[in-house]
Amino acid sequence: MTERLSLDQTKAALLAAADAIIAATDRLTKADQAIGDGDHGLGMARGFKAAKEALDKKPAAHHGDLFKTVGMAIVSTSGGASGAVFGTFFTGAAKVLTVETLDASTYAVALAEGQKAVQARGKAEPGHKTMLDALAPAAEAARANEGAGLLAAARAAAAAAEEGVERTKDMVAQFGRARTLGERALGHPDPGAISITIILTAIATSIEGFKEA
Ligand code: ADP
Ligand code: MG
C-alpha cells in the first residue's frame, strides 16, 4: 500500500486535481449561476491552469513548496472570492507541509490547517453554505481515518466532502454572493463545496493509482 507520497507523486496528484477542476468548468459555472454570478467555473479553471504551469516550472524542496505554488497561482489569477479562499486553503496547508513525503496524518493536518486559514481569512464558519461545509468534514474524516493509511484517509475525506455538498442544499448562505438570495438558495448546493469535493476526489483517485502501479 502507498502509505507515503513522494514529491513527484504529490505533484502528479495536484496536477490531476487541477485537470479535474478544469474539466468541471461547466458544472461549476451552472452551480454558481443558480445561486451566484456564474463566475466560479471560469475563475477556478483560470486559477488551476496557472497552478499547473507554475507546478511545472517551479522546483520544490518539500511538500509545502508544491502547495504554496498552487495557492499563489490561484490567488493571483482566479479572481472573485474563490481566488482568495482557495488560494488561502493551499497556502495555509503549505505551512505545515515542510516534509519530503506525505503520509495520512500529514494529509489530515494539512486539510485542517487549510481550513483554519480559510476561516481566519474569510470569517465564514461551517454551516454558512461555503466550501467550508465540504472542507471541514473532509479534514475531520481524514483525521478519523489516518490510522487506516493514506489511501483510506484520502478516500474518507473525499466522501465526507461529497456528503457535505449535499448538506449545503439545505443551508441558507451567509457569505459570498449567495447570501443576498436568502432562502431562494435552498435546494442548490454551494459551488465552492463542489470544487473542494472535486479536488479531494482527484487526489484520492491519484493515490489509488499509485497503489496499483
Ligand atoms: P464570487 O463569490 O466572488 O463570485 P466565486 O463564485 O468564484 O466567487 O466563488 C464562490 C464560492 O466561494 C462560494 O461557493 C463559497 O464556497 C466560497 N466562498 C465565498 N466566500 C467565502 C468565505 N468567506 N469563506 C469560505 N468560502 C467562501
Ligand atoms: Mg461567483
Side-chain angles (χ1 to χ4, degrees):
M1 208 197 286
T2 305
E3 285 316 325
R4 290 177 166 277
L5 300 190
S6 66
L7 278 176
D8 280 348
Q9 286 176 319
T10 299
K11 181 172 158 184
L14 290 170
L15 289 171
D19 283 334
I21 285 289
I22 293 163
T25 305
D26 286 351
R27 181 182 170 207
L28 296 174
T29 298
K30 290 196 180 94
D32 195 29
Q33 277 168 346
I35 64 165
D37 54 1
D39 66 345
H40 188 63
L42 288 175
M44 291 292 283
R46 192 162 55 238
F48 279 85
K49 272 180 202 150
K52 282 182 72 174
E53 285 166 24
L55 276 173
D56 279 334
K57 263 188 234 141
K58 286 204 177 160
H62 53 63
H63 277 74
D65 288 342
L66 293 174
F67 279 70
K68 192 174 172 195
T69 294
V70 170
M72 302 287 279
I74 293 171
V75 164
S76 56
T77 58
S78 267
S82 61
V85 166
F86 281 80
T88 298
F89 165 63
F90 282 101
T91 53
K95 294 203 175 109
V96 290
L97 286 172
T98 47
V99 289
E100 280 178 52
T101 60
L102 186 81
D103 64 8
S105 105
T106 317
Y107 187 57
V109 170
L111 293 182
E113 212 42 45
Q115 176 196 339
K116 216 169 89 185
V118 169
Q119 289 190 211
R121 170 85 203 252
K123 308 291 178 213
E125 283 171 26
H128 287 164
K129 197 178 179 105
T130 71
M131 54 83 89
L132 287 165
D133 292 304
L135 180 55
E140 178 61 33
R143 198 191 55 78
N145 287 277
E146 65 180 41
L150 179 59
L151 178 59
R155 276 185 179 150
E162 181 124 47
E163 288 163 19
V165 169
E166 284 306 303
R167 284 193 300 273
T168 63
K169 291 181 183 170
D170 301 325
M171 295 175 187
V172 175
Q174 310 202 17
F175 273 82
R177 291 177 208 273
R179 78 178 181 278
T180 57
L181 282 184
E183 300 211 338
R184 277 176 292 153
L186 281 175
H188 298 285
D190 176 67
I194 296 174
S195 288
I196 282 289
T197 304
I198 290 169
I199 292 164
L200 298 185
T201 302
I203 291 173
T205 304
S206 291
I207 296 171
E208 195 175 342
F210 301 143
K211 186 188 164 195
E212 281 156 10

